[in-house]
């Protein structure tokens, strides 16, 4: 059996936004609304691209969905649970348990090895990782071709390899939702395609929903669904017929 088994415990609906609004206070009494009442549903196993011009609110939306920032109004359901009424502790728990993040820059800690970086979310959660958790992380590293680098410091590997470590780190907690903000923006075309392929693979094998911001049309076209955000509104949301 593969270590990348689909977790049948994951519910069908991973994320639902209901009239979600986000404003920023810009230091003046004025509030600037960035996200204008978004409706969105993301199901288990979906691989969705989030596209849109710079400044349209994509990162703001990902930060709100990832519970790194809170909405101004509206509701965000994560695994069927309303998040607006959660206190800080419950939000942190929900974030740690349900969500994995990959950013444009990998933010790996160069003083630590590949394996230690991959295990970081588990170490933050509960201290020393168990043998099973370590083996799981090693299995994921093997799946992305980095098993042999597990005990190397992360500054000794290439940019594409570092981003793959960041993906493993995001997946090590087996999140229901993987959020990626321009995860390949810093990579050359070939490496970007390879890294993006990992999203598709883990999305299929683990069954997590993936929402990935990308500017590269070839990458968004390889997703099941493309959501376009312009000026803080979803102007189109297209499912793609996937070839079996
Ligand atoms: P994108 O990721 O699509 O490029 P962002 O979500 O980063 O867009 O930004 C959307 C808008 O929100 C921009 O006009 C940006 O200037 C503004 N913005 C982002 N973060 C903040 C903040 N912390 N405070 C005030 N305005 C912000
Ligand atoms: Mg952005």
């Amino acid at each position: 059996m593969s270590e990348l088994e689909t977790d049948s415990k994951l519910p069908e609906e991973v994320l639902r936004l209901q009239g979600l609004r986000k404003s920023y206070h810009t230091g003046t009494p004025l509030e600037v609304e960035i996200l204008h009442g978004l409706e969105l549903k993301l199901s288990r196993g979906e691989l969705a691209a989030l596209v849109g011009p710079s400044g349209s609110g994509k990162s703001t939306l990902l930060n709100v969905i990832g519970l790194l920032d809170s909405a101004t109004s509206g509701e965000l359901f994560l695994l069927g649970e309303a998040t607006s009424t959660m206190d800080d502790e419950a939000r942190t728990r929900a974030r740690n348990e349900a969500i994995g993040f990959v950013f444009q820059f990998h933010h790996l800690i160069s003083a630590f090895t590949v394996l230690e970086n991959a295990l970081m979310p588990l170490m933050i959660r509960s201290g020393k990782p168990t043998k099973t958790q370590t083996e799981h992380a090693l299995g994921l590293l093997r799946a992305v071709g980095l098993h042999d680098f597990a005990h190397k410091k992360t500054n000794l590997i290439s940019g594409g390899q570092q981003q793959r470590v960041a993906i493993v780190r995001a997946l090590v907690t087996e999140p229901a939702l993987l959020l990626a903000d321009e995860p390949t923006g810093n990579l050359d075309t070939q490496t970007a395609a390879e890294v993006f392929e990992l999203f598709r693979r883990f999305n299929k094998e683990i069954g997590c929903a993936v929402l990935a911001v990308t500017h590269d049309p070839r990458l968004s076209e390889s997703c099941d669904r493309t959501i376009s955000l312009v000026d803080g509104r979803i102007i189109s949301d297209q499912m793609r017929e996937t070839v079996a």
Side-chain angles (χ1 to χ4, degrees), residues 2 24 62 70 81 104 112 117 126 130 132 137 149 164 166 218 220 223 225:
S2 138
Y24 285 119
L62 248 64
S70 46
E81 257 192 85
Q104 180 172 4
F112 290 137
N117 272 279
S126 50
T130 64
T132 313
F149 296 85
R164 281 187 265 160
R218 279 168 316 152
S220 59
C223 292
R225 182 173 169 188

Side-chain angles (χ1 to χ4, degrees), residues 156-230:
L156 300 174
I157 60 176
S158 72
Q161 289 170 330
Q162 289 171 336
Q163 196 59 314
R164 281 187 265 160
V165 178
I167 293 172
V168 170
R169 180 184 55 188
L171 290 169
V172 79
T173 56
E174 303 188 309
L177 177 60
L178 180 65
L179 299 173
D181 196 353
E182 303 193 36
T184 61
N186 196 30
L187 303 174
D188 65 75
T189 316
Q190 173 66 26
T191 313
E194 285 167 15
V195 164
F196 210 80
E197 188 49 40
L198 292 174
F199 288 118
R200 171 162 291 290
R201 173 165 173 203
F202 286 122
N203 160 257
K204 275 206 163 43
E205 294 183 4
I206 299 178
C208 59
V210 179
L211 182 60
V213 175
T214 177
H215 284 297
D216 186 335
R218 279 168 316 152
L219 299 183
S220 59
E221 279 159 19
S222 76
C223 292
D224 306 327
R225 182 173 169 188
T226 301
I227 300 158
S228 303
L229 191 71
V230 174

Side-chain angles (χ1 to χ4, degrees), residues 19-33:
L20 184 119
R21 293 179 183 272
K22 173 67 185 173
S23 305
Y24 285 119
H25 294 273
T26 52
T28 67
L30 283 179
E31 271 197 354
V32 181
E33 190 174 270

Side-chain angles (χ1 to χ4, degrees), residues 6-238:
T6 298
D7 185 351
S8 56
K9 295 190 298 289
L10 290 178
E12 191 59 32
E13 178 191 290
V14 174
L15 171 77
R16 183 155 46 97
L17 307 182
Q18 233 172 37
L20 184 119
R21 293 179 183 272
K22 173 67 185 173
S23 305
Y24 285 119
H25 294 273
T26 52
T28 67
L30 283 179
E31 271 197 354
V32 181
E33 190 174 270
I34 306 295
L35 302 175
H36 312 290
L38 303 184
E39 307 282 331
L40 182 71
K41 198 180 142 181
L42 209 63
S43 303
R44 183 180 153 188
E46 267 191 306
L47 177 64
L50 180 63
V51 303
S54 181
S56 56
K58 303 181 299 297
S59 294
T60 301
L61 177 57
L62 248 64
N63 289 341
V64 170
I65 291 175
L67 307 181
L68 293 170
D69 200 352
S70 46
T72 310
S73 67
E75 190 56 272
L76 188 164
F77 296 90
L78 193 60
L79 300 172
E81 257 192 85
T83 58
S84 67
T85 47
M86 289 179 178
D87 61 18
D88 281 351
E89 199 187 321
R91 285 170 68 83
T92 303
R93 197 177 333 113
R95 180 171 62 237
N96 289 341
E97 286 176 2
I99 296 170
F101 280 100
V102 181
F103 300 97
Q104 180 172 4
F105 299 99
H106 52 75
H107 301 299
L108 298 175
I109 304 171
S110 59
F112 290 137
T113 66
V114 164
L115 178 61
E116 286 163 343
N117 272 279
L119 285 165
M120 199 57 70
L122 294 169
M123 286 157 78
I124 289 168
R125 197 192 274 184
S126 50
K128 194 173 156 39
T130 64
K131 195 160 174 278
T132 313
Q133 288 174 327
T134 304
E135 276 164 12
H136 176 61
L138 284 168
L140 289 169
L141 287 172
R142 181 176 290 113
V144 303
L146 287 177
H147 189 262
D148 292 346
F149 296 85
H151 301 291
K152 279 211 167 29
K153 295 278 165 63
T154 57
N155 55 353
L156 300 174
I157 60 176
S158 72
Q161 289 170 330
Q162 289 171 336
Q163 196 59 314
R164 281 187 265 160
V165 178
I167 293 172
V168 170
R169 180 184 55 188
L171 290 169
V172 79
T173 56
E174 303 188 309
L177 177 60
L178 180 65
L179 299 173
D181 196 353
E182 303 193 36
T184 61
N186 196 30
L187 303 174
D188 65 75
T189 316
Q190 173 66 26
T191 313
E194 285 167 15
V195 164
F196 210 80
E197 188 49 40
L198 292 174
F199 288 118
R200 171 162 291 290
R201 173 165 173 203
F202 286 122
N203 160 257
K204 275 206 163 43
E205 294 183 4
I206 299 178
C208 59
V210 179
L211 182 60
V213 175
T214 177
H215 284 297
D216 186 335
R218 279 168 316 152
L219 299 183
S220 59
E221 279 159 19
S222 76
C223 292
D224 306 327
R225 182 173 169 188
T226 301
I227 300 158
S228 303
L229 191 71
V230 174
D231 291 338
R233 291 191 171 83
I234 294 172
I235 59 150
S236 82
D237 185 351
Q238 290 184 312

